[in-house]
Amino acid sequence: MRKERAAAAAISGLLTIAALAPTPLLAQAYPAKPIRVIVPVSHGGGSDIPARLYAQAITDELGWRLVIDNRPGAAGRIGTEMAARSPADGYTLLLGGSTPNAVVQSSAPNLPYDTLRDFIPVSLIARSDFILAVHPSLPVKSVKDVIALARAKPGQINFGSVGNISGAHVTGELMKQLAKIDIVHVPYNGPAPAMTALLSGEVQLYFGSGASVTSHARAGRLRLLATAGAKRSKMFPDLPTVGETVPGHEASLWYGILTPTGTPRPVVAAVNEAIIKASRSPKVVDPLAAVSMEPVTNSLEEFTAFIKAEIAKWGKVVKASGTRVD
């Protein structure tokens, strides 16, 4: 009986060791082949830039091979759905972002994916504050001026965006709601027509990325009033935040890496560590700064909590706006 008990205990111990052993071994063996990074925008698009910079830095510094796979369409839904349906083996990553994984997720019915159900958020990689830009013909020099003018002329000032429930749209809606002003949203089919409308004066206000508005501001074609981050931007230290005038206003474009649910935890940890290392590389920091972005990383738990908060926040904004979501 004692021998049987001893044998059972030995077997139990071996099983326990076997169960635990794959964790470090799996992390050490990964990656054994190229890793596909699905980017749900066209090559050269806003979120394509940080994805390629991180992929190159990780490839150069860690010897991994990351391959960018651009799958644009439907405000990021096509590429995101493809990633959600991919094997959870660590060899498919998704470049997620504020629009498909927070704004659209919070508001669009019948999505073919659920960010928090179908993905493990690995880490943020970059962020860029929205910047409030105005056409020079608008007689304003501050957010306070915009609010005063909007109250004096309700329904007569337009703000443009790249489409309904885009980041630019909900950022403008948030200011509209918090400041209690009546400005009119005009959606366009993408960044190019939205910028053309702003430069021509067809719309007077626009929340754009730093990369999209700074060259026009330098040429005198636009006037920059404020950034929309929680604090003053390192990229634009002379600009106040919208929140300094409209308490509670905060919005930014953010990008992060997600992987299909079920991906082994050691693999997730290895990818997170690789991202953090790459975020310190001049190959990432300097080129991001050139397009008004900065590297940002966090843990799986922090990124998950962040996405949950973003979904809740923007869902309320879209609902209050009365925007019809197709």
Side-chain angles (χ1 to χ4, degrees):
M1 183 66 71
R2 289 180 181 176
K3 290 182 178 180
E4 291 175 356
R5 289 176 181 170
I11 291 171
S12 177
L14 288 172
L15 289 173
T16 300
I17 293 170
L20 294 174
T23 300
L25 292 177
L26 182 59
Q28 290 170 11
Y30 176 85
K33 60 181 182 179
I35 302 166
R36 178 174 66 155
V37 183
I38 295 177
V39 177
V41 301
S42 301
H43 178 72
S47 56
D48 183 66
I49 295 171
R52 289 182 181 276
L53 291 175
Y54 271 86
Q56 191 61 56
I58 291 172
T59 297
D60 292 346
E61 297 183 17
L62 297 181
W64 297 12
R65 188 183 171 199
L66 275 66
V67 180
I68 301 296
D69 184 5
N70 294 94
R71 299 285 177 160
R77 299 180 211 187
I78 291 175
T80 303
E81 180 184 8
M82 177 179 290
R85 297 184 181 220
S86 297
D89 57 6
Y91 290 96
T92 297
L93 305 177
L94 170 70
L95 191 284
S98 46
T99 296
N101 301 111
V103 180
V104 172
Q105 179 67 70
S106 73
S107 311
N110 306 316
L111 278 180
Y113 63 86
D114 183 289
T115 297
L116 295 172
R117 180 195 67 209
D118 297 330
F119 294 100
I120 298 173
V122 181
S123 177
L124 282 167
I125 63 169
R127 65 184 293 277
S128 174
D129 288 337
F130 277 108
I131 299 178
L132 176 57
V134 301
H135 190 269
S137 65
L138 200 67
V140 298
K141 293 185 178 180
S142 68
V143 175
K144 185 178 180 180
D145 290 345
V146 171
I147 294 170
L149 186 62
R151 287 175 178 166
K153 297 183 177 182
Q156 297 181 49
I157 297 175
N158 299 331
F159 75 97
S161 81
V162 299
N164 278 332
I165 67 167
S166 62
H169 173 206
V170 297
T171 301
E173 288 289 348
L174 182 61
M175 186 177 79
K176 176 180 176 179
Q177 293 168 20
L178 293 176
K180 296 180 172 56
I181 55 177
D182 181 10
I183 55 178
V184 180
H185 173 234
V186 183
Y188 293 89
N189 187 25
M195 183 56 63
T196 298
L198 178 64
L199 293 172
S200 69
E202 185 175 301
V203 295
Q204 295 81 47
L205 306 176
Y206 181 69
F207 279 97
S209 66
S212 69
V213 299
T214 49
S215 62
H216 296 299
R218 291 191 193 104
R221 293 187 289 267
L222 295 177
R223 183 182 302 127
L224 307 185
L225 300 186
T227 60
K231 57 185 180 181
R232 294 203 178 196
S233 170
K234 295 177 183 176
M235 309 295 171
F236 303 92
D238 295 332
L239 290 180
T241 66
V242 176
E244 290 175 37
T245 303
V246 185
H249 190 280
E250 178 188 345
S252 63
L253 288 161
W254 55 262
Y255 309 100
I257 294 296
L258 302 94
T259 190
T261 294
T263 301
R265 185 61 180 257
V267 169
V268 176
V271 175
N272 179 273
E273 184 178 350
I275 289 169
I276 292 172
K277 287 181 179 177
S279 72
R280 304 186 188 113
S281 170
K283 296 177 182 179
V284 169
V285 177
D286 297 340
L288 282 182
V291 290
S292 303
M293 295 186 192
E294 61 179 334
V296 182
T297 60
N298 54 7
S299 68
L300 179 159
E301 293 79 13
E302 290 168 338
F303 193 20
T304 301
F306 175 78
I307 292 177
K308 286 181 179 178
E310 287 279 283
I311 290 172
K313 172 181 177 177
W314 295 120
K316 291 177 182 177
V317 172
V318 173
K319 184 176 181 180
S321 75
T323 302
R324 180 178 175 181
V325 182
D326 298 324

